[in-house]
Amino acid sequence: MKLKRAGFIFTLVMFCLVSAAVTVMLLSYVGHTARLRVADQYTEPDYLRYLEDGYEFETVSRKSNYLFTVTSGGSPVRIHLMTLDPDKKTLDILDLPSESFIIADGFSGTLSEAFTTSVYREIIARALCIRFDGDIVISSEAFGGSARLLGVEHEKQIISYETGADIVKGRSDYIRSDVSSLESYRLLLSEMLERITSLGPADSFKALMDLYANKAETGMTVKELIALLNGICDVSTKKMNIRVADGCPAKFGEKTIWCLSAEGTAEQLNSHHRVKDIIYLPEALGIPKTEAGSDPFEKIEEKVSDILKQK
């Protein structure tokens, strides 16, 4: 009797052990399956990918680049690369002298000569290795009109259409190293930017709408133009900068051109106009290497708030 009872207890214990083992196996299987299903549905958080790319918790840049060209008599007199960063709330403007010599996809010549082609924007984009989100071309008269409509005061007087146009027309400021004339234009541009931020995007657009609708050449929509004005209005003049593309005037055959510095221009573009960690070496740009002289505009003010102090 005692043997039967011992056998029964042994059988019961073994049954319990086997049941426990099976339960553990089932739970393990279910857990593993659940993990596989979660893994199938799992998407790595954005911030982990950004960390791997070196962003260190910074937001991915929403920088946008615009090509802004002012013409006189059908030829460009002022050419600007404008870069707006809505995250850092900065506006950086690179002043590209119209007689800057560049090379891109078979084209070889000045920006003025590139303007006469049907691929002007594409030539500059390739030469500078940069993508444009929009472009605007207006005449010097329309530019002066913009200043007038915005109510810009220049030299303590409301600027006129003619005065604004005359200030803008200094195409040869760069190759003549005319610091005074260039500073007058930069002050006017700074005053216009200050006025836009003062009025706000709605009133600025209301003031300029008719002029830009009828006088400007652009592929940008009304919505995109308002977004650009809105972005500019969010930037303090202390965080707006206007820089002349690094270079110097030089004789080229019978004419004088603006000889861009590949190293200097690359540094300006990489530091202020490109998205974080996107860097192009000087040799990647469409800028021929030359024995460049000294930059005549090296010491002029860059920050718009400082330029405005010259009023």
Side-chain angles (χ1 to χ4, degrees):
M1 187 70 180
K2 290 183 178 179
L3 288 174
K4 287 183 177 180
R5 187 175 181 183
F8 174 75
I9 294 173
F10 176 78
T11 301
L12 182 61
V13 170
M14 290 301 296
F15 176 77
C16 290
L17 289 173
V18 170
S19 297
V22 170
T23 300
V24 171
M25 290 174 64
L26 286 172
L27 290 174
S28 178
Y29 173 76
V30 170
H32 178 66
T33 302
R35 285 194 296 273
L36 287 177
R37 287 179 179 174
V38 170
D40 287 341
Q41 298 173 7
Y42 175 78
T43 301
E44 186 180 58
D46 286 345
Y47 74 87
L48 290 180
R49 289 188 288 107
Y50 301 158
L51 278 173
E52 291 172 358
D53 292 336
Y55 281 87
E56 298 180 355
F57 291 106
E58 290 186 15
T59 56
V60 171
S61 177
R62 292 185 294 143
K63 276 185 179 180
S64 50
N65 300 307
Y66 303 90
L67 182 62
F68 186 78
T69 306
V70 185
T71 65
S72 178
S75 297
V77 288
R78 307 287 179 182
I79 303 172
H80 300 306
L81 161 59
M82 304 177 67
T83 301
L84 180 67
D85 189 332
D87 298 312
K88 295 184 177 179
K89 298 192 183 312
T90 58
L91 176 66
D92 288 287
I93 300 175
L94 187 63
D95 190 357
L96 300 164
S98 58
E99 297 311 307
S100 298
F101 192 88
I102 58 170
I103 298 171
D105 288 349
F107 173 84
S108 177
T110 65
L111 296 183
S112 291
E113 292 167 336
F115 187 76
T116 64
T117 73
S118 60
V119 286
Y120 166 65
R121 168 175 160 172
E122 288 73 19
I123 288 173
I124 297 179
R126 293 293 182 89
L128 302 183
C129 297
I130 204 156
R131 177 180 63 84
F132 290 115
D133 297 278
D135 64 293
I136 300 172
V137 178
I138 64 171
S139 67
S140 56
E141 290 76 18
F143 189 89
S146 298
R148 172 70 177 177
L149 292 170
L150 289 170
V152 170
E153 288 190 16
H154 188 72
E155 295 180 350
K156 298 182 179 180
Q157 292 184 338
I158 295 292
I159 200 164
S160 67
Y161 288 72
E162 295 77 14
T163 303
D166 288 341
I167 292 172
V168 177
K169 287 179 181 178
R171 172 179 176 177
S172 59
D173 289 354
Y174 311 96
I175 57 177
R176 289 191 293 109
S177 301
D178 192 334
V179 175
S180 177
S181 180
L182 181 60
E183 284 184 334
S184 181
Y185 166 69
R186 287 156 59 85
L187 177 57
L188 175 60
L189 178 57
S190 297
E191 289 168 334
M192 292 175 71
L193 290 170
E194 180 186 43
R195 189 64 180 151
I196 287 172
T197 60
S198 175
L199 287 173
D203 288 340
S204 295
F205 186 76
K206 184 178 179 181
L208 300 173
M209 181 175 62
D210 183 63
L211 185 147
Y212 273 74
N214 296 293
K215 300 293 184 180
E217 296 177 30
T218 179
M220 297 174 66
T221 64
V222 170
K223 182 179 179 181
E224 289 171 332
L225 287 169
I226 292 176
L228 174 58
L229 284 172
N230 189 57
I232 292 174
C233 288
D234 281 342
V235 181
S236 161
T237 54
K238 291 181 179 179
K239 299 187 77 174
M240 294 180 181
N241 297 281
I242 306 172
R243 302 176 180 88
V244 179
D246 193 25
C248 64
K251 290 292 290 184
F252 187 76
E254 296 296 316
K255 61 182 180 181
T256 303
I257 63 168
W258 184 260
C259 187
L260 291 167
S261 163
E263 290 77 12
T265 305
E267 172 62 26
Q268 289 173 317
L269 292 168
N270 291 335
S271 298
H272 308 292
H273 301 275
R274 301 199 193 285
V275 174
K276 180 181 172 67
D277 292 336
I278 301 297
I279 295 175
Y280 282 89
L281 297 176
E283 51 266 30
L285 306 182
I287 299 174
K289 284 225 172 189
T290 58
E291 293 296 327
S294 60
D295 186 342
F297 306 115
E298 186 177 8
K299 295 182 179 179
I300 60 176
E301 297 289 355
E302 295 183 347
K303 190 179 296 184
V304 166
S305 58
D306 291 334
I307 294 172
L308 288 169
K309 292 176 182 178
Q310 299 172 358
K311 282 186 179 184

